[in-house]
Amino acid sequence: MSVSSAPPTIIGVPHPPSAPLFAAAGVTVNYGETVALHKLTFTLHTGQQIAVVGPNGAGKSTLFKLIVGELKPTHGTVALYGTEPEQHLCVAYVPQRKEIDWRFPVTVRDVVMMGRVGRIGLFRWAKAHDHAIVQTSLERVNAEHLADKQIGALSGGQQQRVFIARALAQEAELILLDEPLSGLDTPSQEQFLTLLDEVAAAGITTIVATHDLNMAARRFDQVMLLNTRLIALGEPAAVLTPRHLADAYGSHLHASGDVIVADTHCDHHH
């Protein structure tokens, strides 16, 4: 798999050079009486590979919906490149696999073409230029041979590669992936992580929600540790400390040598 570097195409609103990728200030999100996120304040920058970790119910998916503009904070403010997230077309969001209807009769090529909708516009036909971008995007993730297959017929690893191709066709500058490694065997995980490295080398920022603390420490240059509130954000060694992990996971954390095992089904309230 090879993802060649290409100059980014700005789509949607302009990105001021001085603006951070994403900024949250005092952000709280409530679902009724349930607090999903509490008073988050942080800044993310372009060019980073960021792993978001924390127990179930920590607010990882909620955070992604804030970044992509699907959700507004109950309190506080968020900004993507200095403006409201929903104004941008440069963000690709890949939800958890369990949220996708794999029985929907659509081909791989169709899925990747969906990434062009923001450029083409609704109810308009794709042009030769769009078809060329879709083909190139498939080639960049080594999936061109899958183009005419039904998306539901692919393996989990192949499906995730296709969604990366869709993000490339979208000309995304930020890709959010919610638990992309869930259900993949170890070789497929390694292949997918290598692809993410190549995506990052092409100048695209990636933010991945994961339960795998060891992988987050090994493969990402930044880690965000959440448990409704922000526990820590920074380099893995500074974030994944015993104190921070205890704050996030309580007693549901076990260490054996350099391996950390978290009980991801623990209640996030201590």
Side-chain angles (χ1 to χ4, degrees):
M1 292 177 287
S2 177
V3 179
S4 58
S5 179
T9 300
I10 303 298
I11 52 180
V13 298
H15 300 168
S18 60
L21 168 68
F22 184 79
V27 169
T28 293
V29 176
N30 298 330
Y31 296 122
E33 296 183 357
T34 302
V35 179
L37 293 173
H38 182 65
K39 294 185 177 179
L40 267 61
T41 297
F42 64 89
T43 301
L44 304 178
H45 299 280
T46 57
Q48 295 178 324
Q49 282 186 296
I50 304 160
V52 182
V53 298
N56 280 353
K60 299 186 292 294
S61 296
T62 298
L63 174 64
F64 277 21
K65 291 174 182 178
L66 281 173
I67 295 174
V68 81
E70 287 186 8
L71 185 68
K72 287 185 177 294
T74 307
H75 304 288
T77 61
V78 295
L80 185 71
Y81 292 111
T83 55
E84 294 182 351
E86 61 267 26
Q87 297 180 7
H88 293 263
L89 298 176
C90 60
V91 182
Y93 173 46
V94 181
Q96 294 183 28
R97 295 183 68 248
K98 65 184 181 182
E99 297 180 13
I100 299 171
D101 183 3
W102 299 108
R103 298 169 300 176
F104 191 75
V106 63
T107 67
V108 165
R109 193 186 308 277
D110 293 334
V111 170
V112 179
M113 182 60 77
M114 291 174 188
R116 299 296 301 161
V117 170
R119 297 282 294 182
I120 299 168
L122 290 173
F123 310 115
R124 294 184 180 178
W125 294 104
K127 298 180 180 179
H129 172 67
D130 301 299
H131 287 288
I133 288 178
V134 167
Q135 180 64 25
T136 299
S137 299
L138 285 167
E139 291 171 358
R140 289 170 73 180
V141 303
N142 245 10
E144 66 274 17
H145 62 292
L146 304 173
D148 297 320
K149 292 185 176 294
Q150 296 288 313
I151 186 68
L154 305 187
S155 69
Q158 290 172 330
Q159 288 168 344
Q160 294 294 19
R161 281 161 51 197
V162 169
F163 278 103
I164 293 292
R166 185 182 71 171
L168 295 174
Q170 184 179 329
E171 300 178 67
E173 296 174 53
L174 167 62
I175 304 177
L176 306 172
L177 300 117
D178 197 352
E179 300 288 349
L181 303 179
S182 177
L184 303 189
D185 59 25
T186 299
S188 296
Q189 288 188 12
E190 287 301 318
Q191 289 176 4
F192 187 72
L193 289 168
T194 298
L195 176 58
L196 288 189
D197 289 339
E198 295 175 0
V199 166
I204 300 170
T205 305
T206 54
I207 306 179
V208 175
T210 179
H211 284 299
D212 191 334
L213 300 177
N214 301 289
M215 184 270 290
R218 188 177 75 251
R219 299 297 294 259
F220 289 81
D221 51 40
Q222 295 282 302
V223 173
M224 174 184 287
L225 181 58
L226 278 180
N227 190 357
T228 304
R229 63 185 178 89
L230 179 63
I231 306 295
L233 171 62
E235 295 182 357
V239 171
L240 301 176
T241 65
R243 177 183 174 184
H244 290 155
L245 292 170
D247 284 345
Y249 293 94
S251 60
H252 300 272
L253 195 71
H254 313 281
S256 176
D258 295 328
V259 178
I260 304 168
V261 180
D263 176 3
T264 59
H265 298 287
C266 63
D267 190 340
H268 68 281
H269 298 292
H270 302 313

